[in-house]
Amino acid sequence: MVHTLFYRFGIALFIGVLVGLQREADADKGTDRSRKMFAGVRTFALLGLAGCTAAFVADQLGLPWAFIGIILPLGALITAAYTITALRGSVGMTTEVAAVIVLLAGALCFWDQIALAVALGVVTTALLSFKLELHGFAERLTHEDIVATLKFAIITAIILPVLPNESFGPPPFDVLNPYNIWLMVVLISGISFLGYVLIKLVGSRQGIGLTGLLGGLVSSTAVTLSFSQRSQKEEQLAKPFALAILIAWTIMFGRVLVEVAVTNLPLLGVVWLPITMAGLAGLAYGVYLYFAPRSPEAGGVAVSNPFELGPAITFGLLYGLILLVARAAQFYFGDAGVYLSSILSGLADVDAITLSLAELSSSGNLEPATAARAIVLATMSNTVVKGGIVLSGGSAALRRAVLPGFLLILATGTALAFVV
């Protein structure tokens, strides 16, 4: 018990030191230290210990109000510190709020909520450290971005819980579950939104390779189309453009693995080898392009907010349609029908067919090996479409740069598709 108690106090001390070090380091970069902060590493460390001590005393006395009685004076001191700094012209209260969080995190440590307390400390430190990046992100957001995200959040929060979580009709209509369909829309939009946020954070012109990496999280097809078109006017950047395109394609394979892992983890054990090897083949060629002589010029790609309602609803309808078609193909034509529907569906969207096949396999309507092969074929079909975009719309130099990687990915994925 004694060791456990000291451990909890030690974690509270660590959280305070962590946040305090960040605040003090940040203040040292300012021109007026006294105006920038009211507490440094020692004060934050003591606040963490104070929160843990307050919870300990309340527990020993059996009086929850004792905790409030200790916390309130400390809160008053924090309020007084804010008042003084505000009178000096600094109206920001980030440090004061961080102090309150450290105080409460210390109490959580005593209550044996160690994981939550540490998470709060780390997140708080990260938010304090990423001040410039977060402000830059906010400046890059448009009014349309905010409205689109709010619309999507409202629709999801209100509609998703009331959607029927059941299937309707006999096979092949037994796979149409409204709740699951919209849940998949949320999943895909969330993955895409992560890339969109990262692009907003670092800017869309921080290097062609980085743009390909982040753009691939949103849409590898958009990256391919954008750089193929640009290569016609900027042919000297063919290798950097090819690198960005290959990186975006590689990210697509990573997206597929994440989607399968989230929706049907056992299927991941079957499909991971061909998908991973196809991705590694593209990555290996990307490494070659990276070390090849190339221009360091930056380049951006236009991407839209994935939380726009129109595209989200369109994806939901497409996912439901592909789910129905894949189930009907399997029901009436067996595995051959599944493979054909996967190839055709992959021409339009690899996410929808991946989720559909994972769902069919999870529900027992499709063998895992068949689902895995079909997913690989869908990714190869989608790669063919993007390769076609480069070959038909890119400059001659871009076609020469991309073609070896394109053929390597196709050969690897197709060869391993029927190994699973």
Side-chain angles (χ1 to χ4, degrees):
M1 177 62 183
V2 174
H3 293 296
T4 302
L5 186 63
F6 275 89
Y7 172 73
R8 295 177 185 178
F9 272 86
I11 296 297
L13 176 64
F14 167 77
I15 293 172
V17 169
L18 180 67
V19 178
L21 284 173
Q22 193 287 327
R23 286 286 78 193
E24 194 155 326
D26 188 65
D28 287 339
K29 298 174 184 177
T31 57
D32 186 353
R33 181 188 174 102
S34 64
R35 188 175 177 181
K36 290 294 182 181
M37 71 168 193
F38 80 95
V41 60
R42 292 183 301 168
T43 303
F44 272 98
L46 291 172
L47 285 172
L49 290 175
C52 194
T53 302
F56 171 74
V57 170
D59 180 73
Q60 292 296 303
L61 296 177
L63 299 172
W65 286 105
F67 174 75
I68 304 297
I70 297 173
I71 291 294
L72 281 180
L74 293 172
L77 289 174
I78 295 172
T79 302
Y82 170 73
T83 302
I84 293 172
T85 55
L87 290 174
R88 291 175 178 173
S90 179
V91 295
M93 57 188 303
T94 305
T95 302
E96 289 78 4
V97 173
V100 174
I101 292 176
V102 168
L103 192 62
L104 295 177
L108 287 173
C109 289
F110 177 78
W111 293 327
D112 203 23
Q113 299 294 327
I114 303 295
L116 177 58
V118 172
L120 282 174
V122 172
V123 169
T124 299
T125 306
L127 289 173
L128 294 172
S129 301
F130 297 149
K131 175 182 177 180
L132 295 178
E133 290 81 1
L134 290 174
H135 283 310
F137 171 60
E139 290 173 358
R140 294 186 184 101
L141 282 178
T142 65
H143 177 70
E144 289 73 18
D145 287 333
I146 297 173
V147 171
T149 304
L150 287 176
K151 283 181 181 178
F152 188 89
I154 291 172
I155 292 296
T156 299
I158 295 176
I159 291 184
L160 183 62
V162 300
L163 285 174
N165 190 6
E166 57 181 307
S167 302
F168 301 94
F173 298 97
D174 57 338
V175 296
L176 297 180
N177 182 311
Y179 181 89
N180 286 340
I181 289 175
W182 190 253
L183 196 60
M184 293 304 102
V185 174
V186 175
L187 171 64
I188 295 303
S189 297
I191 294 174
S192 299
F193 191 67
L194 173 62
Y196 185 76
V197 168
L198 291 175
I199 288 176
K200 289 288 185 177
L201 280 172
V202 304
S204 63
R205 301 188 61 83
Q206 296 300 314
I208 293 174
L210 182 58
T211 300
L213 174 65
L214 302 181
L217 287 172
V218 183
S219 172
S220 56
T221 303
V223 172
T224 304
L225 182 61
S226 175
F227 286 129
S228 294
Q229 292 173 342
R230 284 187 57 186
S231 70
Q232 294 286 1
K233 298 179 180 179
E234 303 171 79
E235 193 165 353
Q236 75 280 5
L237 295 178
K239 285 188 178 179
F241 289 159
L243 173 62
I245 290 171
L246 264 295
I247 291 176
W249 292 2
T250 303
I251 293 298
M252 178 201 71
F253 293 111
R255 282 176 62 120
V256 168
L257 292 178
V258 171
E259 291 160 11
V260 172
V262 171
T263 55
N264 187 352
L265 188 57
L267 180 61
L268 181 64
V270 184
V271 78
W272 76 269
L273 179 61
I275 293 295
T276 301
M277 294 308 295
L280 288 178
L283 183 62
Y285 186 70
V287 171
Y288 160 75
L289 289 175
Y290 179 80
F291 287 105
R294 59 193 179 91
S295 170
E297 290 186 38
V301 59
V303 292
S304 60
N305 191 325
F307 281 165
E308 289 282 357
L309 274 183
I313 293 174
T314 299
F315 176 82
L317 295 174
L318 179 64
Y319 168 66
L321 178 62
I322 290 177
L323 186 64
L324 177 61
V325 170
R327 173 65 171 136
Q330 187 273 335
F331 188 76
Y332 293 111
F333 303 106
D335 291 352
V338 174
Y339 298 147
L340 179 59
S341 66
S342 299
I343 293 173
L344 295 176
S345 300
L347 297 174
D349 189 283
V350 73
D351 293 321
I353 184 61
T354 298
L355 294 172
S356 299
L357 293 169
E359 173 64 24
L360 288 174
S361 176
S362 178
S363 61
N365 292 314
L366 192 63
E367 289 294 323
T370 302
R373 294 187 193 105
I375 288 173
V376 177
L377 291 176
T379 59
M380 294 301 102
S381 173
N382 193 261
T383 301
V384 167
V385 170
K386 289 178 291 194
I389 292 174
V390 174
L391 296 178
S392 62
S395 66
L398 181 66
R399 293 197 297 269
R400 289 193 298 269
V402 170
L403 186 59
F406 171 59
L407 295 177
L408 183 61
I409 291 173
L410 282 182
T412 304
T414 304
L416 294 176
F418 291 90
V419 174
V420 297

